[in-house]
Amino acid sequence: MWILLVEDEKQLANSLKRGLEEEGYVVEVQHDGEEAELQGLVNDYDIVILDWRLPNRDGKEILEHWRKEDRNFPVLMLTALGDLDHKVSGLDAGADDYMSKPFSFDELLARIRALSRRSADISNTEIVKIGPIEVDARRHNVTVGGISLTLRQKEFVLLELLMTHLGTVFSKTQIAERVWGSAYYVSDNTIEATISTLRQKLNDTFEDIDTYKLGKNDQIIETIRGAGYRFNIDLFKDHKDS
Amino acid sequence: MWILLVEDEKQLANSLKRGLEEEGYVVEVQHDGEEAELQGLVNDYDIVILDWRLPNRDGKEILEHWRKEDRNFPVLMLTALGDLDHKVSGLDAGADDYMSKPFSFDELLARIRALSRRSADISNTEIVKIGPIEVDARRHNVTVGGISLTLRQKEFVLLELLMTHLGTVFSKTQIAERVWGSAYYVSDNTIEATISTLRQKLNDTFEDIDTYKLGKNDQIIETIRGAGYRFNIDLFKDHKDS
DNA sequence: TTGTTTTAAGCTTAATTTAAGGTTCCCCAT
DNA sequence: ATGGGGAACCTTAAATTAAGCTTAAAACAA
């Protein structure tokens, strides 16, 4: 889950970012309204959290522009306490939900979950199931043929990314950005090592189940040399579960 | 797609180069402004990414010079965050888009795609189809009569180059530059060997399909002795697909 | 501490280039 | 015309280089 957080109070923004990251979300923070507007036009976030009062440009303008350009990720707007006017105008402009400051972090989480459930986008299903592999984004849990396996944060987010974008090849650069949050400072090897342990955990679990057997050369996560990685949907093509 | 990246921060430049190459672009990096200016005067890049603050010469001067000399490739300028003055002066000087640092790699990709779409040049369609041969630049994938064939990076870029410039004969020097990124260090034989394996893969796949049969002496990639290579459009002239 | 993440190093595999000998084509002298 | 001879090009296989994998150890964070 890729979230854009637009909030100019840096301290608040950072603590929210940290909290959300602990929950397994990948969070980009933008303090400046104008910049945020561009980012939203260009990136397909799963959710945007948008403060209504911003330097340079206000939340409403931004949101209207996005909606005019058919950017239809769910938007959760943040307003000052008691600011009912803004609430109404925001929902009119196309916001999907609102929250007034101050709010509890748990409430924020709950609303984010609700929004991602409601959203039409496939990538926001709470539970993704492909063949015997089941990813529960909410509980942060993966099972293969009913057996649960313990993945670490990065492994989990990486698997989730690949499984919610079937057919897409993600380059290392894109993976760095969407799993680690930034393309800089993440070495190739870090990603390779994570892929490696993730594959091992998946394979080990497949050995323990009876319902599906992997062939000798079957790779659940394919490597496309020079280009990136992709979830190998072909392995489960016939085997329609859901 | 041939891209010139002018950026003096070497670390950033290299990571962008790598990321773009993973996407199948051919990227030339130039750290020095003066050098970059010359290269832009001489080569027909598909897109130029130009940092605004450079040693020796600043982005604006370079761009103005190019535009005065009718170099009209799209230019995406990079500015420091919040540098609105530069943004305006850059767009005035003839930049087609701008992005402020730091930016996400996906955002860069999106903007490059947008620019190449916008550009008048025919060569920028995402999917090229000629007769039964289909090249999908985005997914990095070639099919002949529906059968997908696995090309290596160099083979792919070479085929793409020829198919997006129908009728044009490319000399070995030009191919070296636009497939390998630089004419130095690439021997003629390297190119010949690549052409050879590419032809074989194409021919093999044509054997497997029923919709189109190659004649005994038909060459999909023609050799023009002493001049270079060209995609043989005549083979598919009657056979109008699209 | 304890668990997670990153780095390091050697290894494996695939892509790319080089090398070497073979074709084909063209020019020129016969 | 015709048959060397050379240049340009083709084709394979071998050598080289690069990309990716794996494991353990180091660094970091809770």
Side-chain angles (χ1 to χ4, degrees):
Chain A
M1 284 276 288
W2 195 20
I3 298 183
L4 174 65
L5 170 60
V6 188
E7 168 61 65
D8 67 308
E9 286 175 48
K10 301 201 176 171
Q11 207 184 342
L12 173 62
N14 286 336
S15 74
L16 290 180
K17 176 177 157 77
R18 235 188 61 195
L20 290 171
E21 281 174 348
E22 281 165 10
E23 292 294 315
Y25 298 112
V26 176
V27 181
E28 234 168 275
V29 173
Q30 183 53 256
H31 304 297
D32 178 80
E34 197 162 354
E35 292 299 324
E37 184 167 357
L38 289 170
Q39 281 179 272
L41 287 176
V42 153
N43 293 326
D44 282 323
Y45 298 102
D46 296 304
I47 289 186
V48 174
I49 303 171
L50 178 62
D51 191 8
W52 217 236
R53 178 189 318 239
L54 286 169
N56 288 339
R57 203 178 235 60
D58 96 355
K60 189 178 174 194
E61 290 177 61
I62 296 174
L63 181 52
E64 280 172 344
H65 189 189
W66 285 343
R67 295 310 191 207
K68 204 169 65 192
E69 300 287 334
D70 285 326
R71 314 300 297 160
N72 44 19
F73 32 64
V75 171
L76 170 58
M77 69 173 188
L78 305 179
T79 66
L81 182 62
D83 201 339
L84 286 189
D85 285 355
H86 279 173
K87 172 191 160 188
V88 173
S89 74
L91 294 176
D92 271 356
D96 298 86
D97 198 359
Y98 83 102
M99 228 174 11
S100 44
K101 294 196 263 189
F103 48 82
S104 77
F105 186 70
D106 282 350
E107 187 183 349
L108 176 64
L109 282 185
R111 287 181 190 273
I112 287 174
R113 284 195 208 106
L115 280 180
S116 67
R117 235 190 333 266
R118 196 186 309 164
S119 153
D121 192 327
I122 301 164
S123 77
N124 291 317
T125 328
E126 294 269 295
I127 297 177
V128 184
K129 185 166 184 181
I130 296 158
I133 308 175
E134 200 173 324
V135 174
D136 182 339
R138 171 79 169 282
R139 292 154 55 97
H140 228 247
N141 189 290
V142 178
T143 58
V144 173
I147 297 174
S148 162
L149 64 167
T150 52
L151 297 184
R152 288 169 308 193
Q153 188 79 2
K154 300 286 163 108
E155 292 166 348
F156 181 85
V157 176
L158 176 47
L159 179 62
E160 190 197 14
L161 174 67
L162 296 177
M163 285 184 64
T164 50
H165 295 82
L166 298 176
T168 310
V169 176
F170 285 91
S171 71
K172 291 213 181 79
T173 309
Q174 288 174 307
I175 289 172
E177 200 160 72
R178 298 182 65 156
V179 176
W180 274 260
S182 158
Y184 316 116
Y185 316 123
V186 183
S187 77
D188 282 6
N189 185 239
T190 300
I191 294 169
E192 288 156 12
T194 305
I195 288 270
S196 176
T197 54
L198 173 56
R199 277 178 175 157
Q200 282 172 34
K201 287 181 183 181
L202 287 170
N203 286 337
D204 289 354
T205 315
F206 266 90
E207 303 240 311
D208 294 341
I209 65 170
D210 299 317
T211 44
Y212 191 98
K213 283 290 165 215
L214 284 179
K216 193 154 178 61
N217 295 319
D218 288 353
Q219 280 286 20
I220 297 166
I221 298 171
E222 293 176 283
T223 302
I224 289 89
R225 206 157 234 266
Y229 299 91
R230 174 173 61 189
F231 187 89
N232 187 353
I233 182 69
D234 291 344
L235 286 181
F236 309 108
K237 267 276 172 58
D238 40 343
H239 210 266
K240 275 257 158 128
D241 293 60
S242 79
Chain B
M1 283 276 288
W2 194 22
I3 298 181
L4 174 65
L5 169 61
V6 188
E7 168 62 63
D8 68 306
E9 285 174 48
K10 301 201 176 170
Q11 204 186 347
L12 174 62
N14 286 336
S15 76
L16 292 180
K17 177 177 156 78
R18 206 199 63 195
L20 290 170
E21 283 174 348
E22 283 169 345
E23 294 293 318
Y25 297 111
V26 176
V27 181
E28 235 168 275
V29 172
Q30 184 52 257
H31 303 298
D32 178 79
E34 202 159 350
E35 293 296 323
E37 185 168 356
L38 289 171
Q39 281 179 272
L41 287 175
V42 158
N43 294 323
D44 281 325
Y45 298 102
D46 294 306
I47 289 186
V48 175
I49 302 170
L50 178 62
D51 190 7
W52 216 235
R53 178 189 316 236
L54 286 169
N56 289 339
R57 202 177 235 60
D58 101 349
K60 189 177 174 193
E61 291 177 62
I62 296 175
L63 180 52
E64 280 172 343
H65 188 189
W66 285 343
R67 294 310 190 208
K68 204 170 64 192
E69 300 287 335
D70 285 326
R71 313 301 296 160
N72 45 18
F73 33 63
V75 171
L76 171 58
M77 70 173 187
L78 304 179
T79 67
L81 180 63
D83 202 339
L84 289 187
D85 285 354
H86 279 171
K87 172 191 160 187
V88 173
S89 74
L91 294 175
D92 273 357
D96 298 270
D97 197 359
Y98 86 103
M99 224 173 16
S100 46
K101 294 195 265 189
F103 48 81
S104 78
F105 184 71
D106 280 351
E107 186 180 349
L108 176 65
L109 282 184
R111 286 178 189 277
I112 287 174
R113 282 194 210 105
L115 280 180
S116 67
R117 243 193 323 270
R118 198 185 308 164
S119 150
D121 194 330
I122 301 164
S123 78
N124 292 315
T125 329
E126 298 264 300
I127 296 177
V128 185
K129 184 166 185 181
I130 295 158
I133 308 176
E134 199 173 326
V135 174
D136 183 339
R138 178 80 168 275
R139 295 168 65 97
H140 223 251
N141 191 291
V142 178
T143 57
V144 174
I147 296 176
S148 162
L149 65 165
T150 52
L151 296 185
R152 288 168 305 183
Q153 191 82 355
K154 297 284 146 76
E155 292 166 348
F156 180 87
V157 176
L158 176 48
L159 179 61
E160 191 196 14
L161 175 67
L162 296 177
M163 285 184 64
T164 50
H165 295 83
L166 297 176
T168 310
V169 176
F170 286 92
S171 72
K172 293 215 178 77
T173 309
Q174 287 174 309
I175 289 172
E177 203 159 66
R178 302 189 59 159
V179 176
W180 275 260
S182 158
Y184 315 117
Y185 317 123
V186 184
S187 77
D188 283 4
N189 184 237
T190 299
I191 294 168
E192 288 156 11
T194 306
I195 289 268
S196 174
T197 54
L198 174 56
R199 278 176 173 157
Q200 281 173 35
K201 287 182 182 179
L202 287 170
N203 287 336
D204 289 354
T205 315
F206 266 90
E207 304 240 309
D208 294 341
I209 66 170
D210 299 318
T211 43
Y212 191 97
K213 283 291 165 213
L214 284 179
K216 193 151 180 59
N217 295 320
D218 289 352
Q219 279 287 21
I220 297 166
I221 297 171
E222 294 175 283
T223 303
I224 289 89
R225 201 156 238 269
Y229 299 90
R230 174 173 61 190
F231 186 89
N232 188 353
I233 182 70
D234 292 344
L235 286 180
F236 310 107
K237 267 278 173 57
D238 40 342
H239 209 266
K240 275 257 157 130
D241 292 58
S242 79

